[in-house]
Amino acid sequence: MSKNLLLIFTRNPELGKVKTRLAKSLGNEKALEIYKFLLHRTKEVTQQLSCDIAVFYSVKVRENDIWENQLYKKHQQKGNDLGERMYNAFQDSFKKGYEKVAIIGSDLYDLEPKHIETAFAQLDTNDVIIGPAEDGGYYLLASKKVFPEIFKNKDWGMASVRQKTLNDLEKQTVFLLPMLNDVDIFDDIKDHPAFSQFLD
């Protein structure tokens, strides 16, 4: 067992239930295709890492999917909102004996292994690592213990999330990774060469 654990939060890829804001511009089928494309990209990036990895499913754990059982531990998210689900995942991970835990979503094409490796390395000298997303949220969060306040009283999905999280961490040392762009709406992909295949 590695001392470092990466949590990947995913939604089960079902028509009409993923990338709903993107679907408003492109329709449900295209939105699902793009989400599956992003899942494969997340797998491609994470399977090169040396840490332990756990995939947390939004609805139901799937056995025969893109996440191979020997490389990815599988769990279901528990909690009423995103904050509670992340809190529970962090809490459970530290209880299992991990010393550093990081979480990412699965809707980030520009994420690279070096971002995750840097997060774990920077935890040697910082309390919390945040990967800021262009929409005001974050694409990565990593720590060596649970800070319960950062998972509470947030409007998840809104532009205020990162700033409120930083406010909660005023007394901690926080390291910021480079800013990247989550894929949520049409503007996020319209000029990105990787997505041109979906826009014909």
Side-chain angles (χ1 to χ4, degrees):
M1 171 172 144
S2 166
K3 294 291 180 194
N4 299 346
L5 177 65
L6 176 68
L7 314 173
I8 305 173
F9 264 37
T10 71
R11 287 182 178 277
N12 295 60
E14 293 169 9
L15 191 66
K17 297 196 177 161
V18 292
K19 295 282 143 237
T20 48
R21 284 188 282 172
L22 200 54
K24 286 177 185 161
S25 309
L26 294 172
N28 286 332
E29 271 89 2
K30 276 271 165 70
L32 180 59
E33 271 177 53
I34 289 169
Y35 187 60
K36 286 181 174 173
F37 175 66
L38 288 165
L39 285 177
H40 279 279
R41 172 69 181 174
T42 306
K43 178 189 166 185
E44 198 180 294
V45 168
T46 55
Q47 65 190 6
Q48 308 165 35
L49 299 167
S50 58
C51 57
D52 286 358
I53 310 175
V55 177
F56 279 75
Y57 294 75
S58 58
V59 185
K60 187 177 176 215
V61 173
R62 301 265 180 239
E63 287 313 323
N64 303 309
D65 60 3
I66 66 166
W67 311 103
E68 294 102 347
N69 290 0
Q70 64 271 29
L71 185 56
Y72 297 94
K73 300 173 170 65
K74 298 184 174 186
H75 305 281
Q76 188 166 335
Q77 297 171 24
K78 299 191 300 266
N80 295 319
D81 68 3
L82 180 59
E84 205 176 302
R85 294 196 290 268
M86 289 197 290
Y87 170 78
N88 288 331
F90 269 83
Q91 188 85 320
D92 291 349
S93 304
F94 287 119
K95 276 185 188 156
K96 286 176 182 157
Y98 287 101
E99 291 173 8
K100 298 175 181 177
V101 179
I103 189 168
I104 59 171
S106 47
D107 49 8
L108 205 73
Y109 187 82
D110 296 325
L111 186 69
E112 293 173 27
K114 67 179 182 193
H115 296 119
I116 298 161
E117 286 156 1
T118 300
F120 284 127
Q122 286 292 339
L123 280 175
D124 289 341
T125 49
N126 294 279
D127 298 316
V128 178
I129 314 300
I130 288 178
E134 286 178 14
D135 62 6
Y138 50 79
Y139 62 84
L140 180 148
L141 177 74
S143 65
K144 292 175 287 198
K145 66 172 200 173
V146 179
F147 295 95
E149 61 278 14
I150 64 181
F151 300 110
K152 295 175 183 163
N153 305 317
K154 306 287 180 298
D155 298 315
W156 300 105
M158 299 308 223
S160 59
V161 168
R162 183 172 71 250
Q163 191 51 55
K164 283 188 173 173
T165 304
L166 289 168
N167 295 347
D168 291 334
L169 294 167
E170 273 172 352
K171 297 192 173 94
Q172 317 303 329
T173 52
V174 179
F175 179 87
L176 293 178
L177 293 166
M179 189 168 285
L180 296 179
N181 190 24
D182 277 351
V183 173
D184 285 315
I185 57 174
F186 182 65
D187 279 0
D188 297 333
I189 63 168
K190 69 176 182 358
D191 300 319
H192 197 308
F195 295 92
S196 57
Q197 57 182 312
F198 301 107
L199 306 178
D200 302 339

